[in-house]
Amino acid sequence: MSISGPGFCRKLGPSQMRFQLSIGVRRSSLMIKPWEVLSSKIELEDRWIKVRADDCQRSDGLIIKPYYVLEYADWVCVLAITPDGNVVLTTEYRHGVRSIVTGLPSGVVDKEDSGPEGTARRELLEETGYTSEHMVPLGSLYANCTNQPNLVHYFLARDAELTGTPALDANEQIDVELVPWEQVRSTPFLRQSHHVACLHLAEKYFDVCSPATIV
Amino acid sequence: MSISGPGFCRKLGPSQMRFQLSIGVRRSSLMIKPWEVLSSKIELEDRWIKVRADDCQRSDGLIIKPYYVLEYADWVCVLAITPDGNVVLTTEYRHGVRSIVTGLPSGVVDKEDSGPEGTARRELLEETGYTSEHMVPLGSLYANCTNQPNLVHYFLARDAELTGTPALDANEQIDVELVPWEQVRSTPFLRQSHHVACLHLAEKYFDVCSPATIV
């Protein structure tokens, strides 16, 4: 049984396979309380960035100011696997590190999208030309809870097939590559933290639904 | 044999255990070239934040401006495991998501630190009071290669022992908690992408050095 075959994941239904995390206060602490926001202003904003500066007060009275928050929208990240067990990878220039980097299809949840899964489908198609009839939510994690409110929503696109043509934005140049899952998961192939987190969520998914059958 | 016992990881020496990633251009592409930076300016800067705006030109002539880069210093993240197999976790208020979040000890590589491992030791001690004689580098990943140049350096602190008292910064309030490794790795316990990436790196490490002995 392959990771994408029809017998895959028979033990649990789709709703049970959701590793969606409950976002919120996991446990209370007598000492640790949320901060009160005394005032807030936008320091920098245009189409691409929004930096908010909050003046805050802790429960013990300590004033913390400014505290910068980067108001990003949510992101998605897609681990797309073909029926023969290859992962669909994208290689593009990443100006943050001024280097050409291989990673997973990913992008920003637009207001026009039907939700994170719609974004995942759109980004996978736009960046790679691949689509999937079996999009499995793997979970959502904070992108960087220290100073960003946004989540990364992770999806496994099972049985991904090349059904279209990449439709890149004007500012995108992307090479698509297929690499066996075993190689992606077991080697230092992906170099971005968010993408490596996706490998962990996928392995948890595979552990539960088909422990001995990862390709 | 426990994950922290004296017989742990006998197969490979410390240098072979390094999963340090080579950061740079992994493969070349005929189409994808780095951008040329035409001009650059700092849009926002103080002690806590530095936002740079680059005007760039792609190899095909397309002008991309502005492209924002957040000039963070490198970060560290520490998976500290006690001799009896518990992970040392920190719980603190995270203003980015306005919630109390449990995660791994982590922090910023200061100029005064001797390097990422020194930062890892310092942050582990400052945030939790724990120290380790066996700090294993698990690898380094881009924090967010899209618009940040910094890396997250991951460390496994084996045989971590409570040897000191947390020395928190004035703006830190942290609860320390011990949770079995098996629970941390197999449940949606950690909710931040960077920290979940650490679980993947740690599992790769354990796979190589002691496949059947993870607690």
Side-chain angles (χ1 to χ4, degrees):
Chain A
M1 188 166 73
S2 83
I3 50 169
S4 296
F8 180 68
C9 212
R10 282 176 295 204
K11 291 185 208 164
L12 298 174
S15 65
Q16 290 163 293
M17 291 314 307
R18 285 178 177 262
F19 284 104
Q20 199 73 26
L21 310 183
S22 63
I23 302 300
V25 177
R26 213 189 127 268
R27 64 175 61 75
S28 64
S29 160
L30 286 176
M31 188 182 79
I32 302 171
K33 306 281 187 194
W35 300 344
E36 182 185 355
V37 177
L38 303 175
S39 65
S40 188
K41 65 176 173 174
I42 303 300
E43 288 285 2
L44 180 62
E45 180 176 17
D46 77 357
R47 182 182 167 195
W48 302 110
I49 199 166
K50 189 172 182 180
V51 182
R52 194 183 80 223
D54 290 347
D55 288 353
C56 302
Q57 184 165 27
R58 218 164 61 176
S59 58
D60 63 359
L62 184 77
I63 301 289
I64 295 161
K65 68 174 187 177
Y67 195 96
Y68 293 104
V69 176
L70 297 152
E71 292 197 351
Y72 290 117
D74 282 4
W75 301 335
V76 299
C77 182
V78 186
L79 180 71
I81 305 190
T82 62
D84 55 352
N86 285 305
V87 179
V88 183
L89 298 178
T90 55
T91 295
E92 53 190 312
Y93 173 70
R94 296 296 196 174
H95 189 61
V97 294
R98 302 197 68 171
S99 184
I100 292 161
V101 181
T102 296
L104 302 176
S106 53
V108 177
V109 178
D110 290 339
K111 286 175 184 162
E112 295 75 27
D113 291 331
S114 58
E117 184 171 327
T119 308
R121 292 183 182 281
R122 177 178 60 71
E123 288 288 351
L124 180 61
L125 176 61
E126 287 179 2
E127 293 192 350
T128 72
Y130 280 77
T131 55
S132 167
E133 298 290 315
H134 306 288
M135 196 70 83
V136 181
L138 293 174
S140 303
L141 298 170
Y142 294 133
N144 175 10
C145 59
T146 305
N147 62 354
Q148 296 178 206
N150 65 318
L151 292 167
V152 190
H153 304 283
Y154 290 98
F155 291 91
L156 172 67
R158 288 172 46 203
D159 297 320
E161 302 269 11
L162 185 63
T163 59
T165 311
L168 302 178
D169 292 342
N171 63 348
E172 287 182 319
Q173 291 179 311
I174 297 177
D175 269 357
V176 176
E177 188 180 11
L178 297 181
V179 176
W181 160 248
E182 199 57 37
Q183 189 176 337
V184 173
R185 69 184 280 265
S186 62
T187 60
F189 202 95
L190 301 181
R191 291 184 288 148
Q192 175 158 198
S193 178
H194 300 301
H195 298 181
V196 171
C198 189
L199 298 183
H200 183 76
L201 297 179
E203 291 196 330
K204 285 207 306 179
Y205 173 85
F206 294 142
D207 281 348
V208 172
C209 79
S210 56
T213 59
I214 299 174
V215 177
Chain B
M1 189 165 73
S2 82
I3 50 168
S4 296
F8 180 66
C9 212
R10 282 176 294 205
K11 291 185 208 164
L12 299 174
S15 66
Q16 290 162 294
M17 291 314 305
R18 284 177 178 264
F19 285 103
Q20 200 72 26
L21 309 183
S22 62
I23 302 300
V25 177
R26 212 189 128 267
R27 64 176 62 77
S28 64
S29 162
L30 287 177
M31 187 182 78
I32 302 171
K33 306 281 188 194
W35 300 344
E36 182 185 354
V37 177
L38 304 175
S39 66
S40 188
K41 65 175 174 176
I42 303 299
E43 289 283 4
L44 180 62
E45 180 176 17
D46 77 358
R47 182 181 166 198
W48 303 110
I49 199 167
K50 189 173 182 181
V51 182
R52 195 183 80 223
D54 290 346
D55 288 353
C56 303
Q57 184 166 27
R58 218 164 61 176
S59 57
D60 63 359
L62 183 77
I63 301 288
I64 296 161
K65 67 175 188 178
Y67 194 96
Y68 293 105
V69 176
L70 296 153
E71 292 197 351
Y72 290 117
D74 283 4
W75 301 335
V76 299
C77 183
V78 186
L79 181 71
I81 305 190
T82 62
D84 55 352
N86 285 305
V87 179
V88 183
L89 297 178
T90 55
T91 296
E92 53 191 311
Y93 173 70
R94 296 295 195 173
H95 188 62
V97 294
R98 301 197 69 170
S99 184
I100 292 161
V101 181
T102 296
L104 301 176
S106 54
V108 177
V109 178
D110 289 340
K111 286 175 185 163
E112 295 74 27
D113 290 331
S114 59
E117 184 171 327
T119 308
R121 292 183 182 282
R122 178 178 58 74
E123 288 288 351
L124 181 61
L125 176 60
E126 285 179 3
E127 293 192 351
T128 72
Y130 279 78
T131 56
S132 167
E133 298 291 314
H134 306 289
M135 195 70 83
V136 180
L138 293 173
S140 303
L141 298 170
Y142 294 133
N144 176 10
C145 60
T146 305
N147 63 353
Q148 295 178 206
N150 65 318
L151 293 167
V152 189
H153 303 284
Y154 290 98
F155 291 90
L156 173 67
R158 289 171 46 203
D159 297 319
E161 302 270 11
L162 185 63
T163 58
T165 311
L168 302 178
D169 292 342
N171 62 348
E172 287 181 320
Q173 290 179 311
I174 297 176
D175 269 357
V176 176
E177 188 180 11
L178 298 181
V179 177
W181 160 247
E182 199 57 38
Q183 188 177 338
V184 173
R185 70 184 281 263
S186 61
T187 59
F189 204 95
L190 301 180
R191 292 185 287 147
Q192 175 157 199
S193 178
H194 300 301
H195 298 181
V196 171
C198 188
L199 298 182
H200 184 76
L201 297 179
E203 290 196 332
K204 285 207 307 179
Y205 172 85
F206 294 142
D207 281 348
V208 172
C209 79
S210 55
T213 59
I214 301 174
V215 178

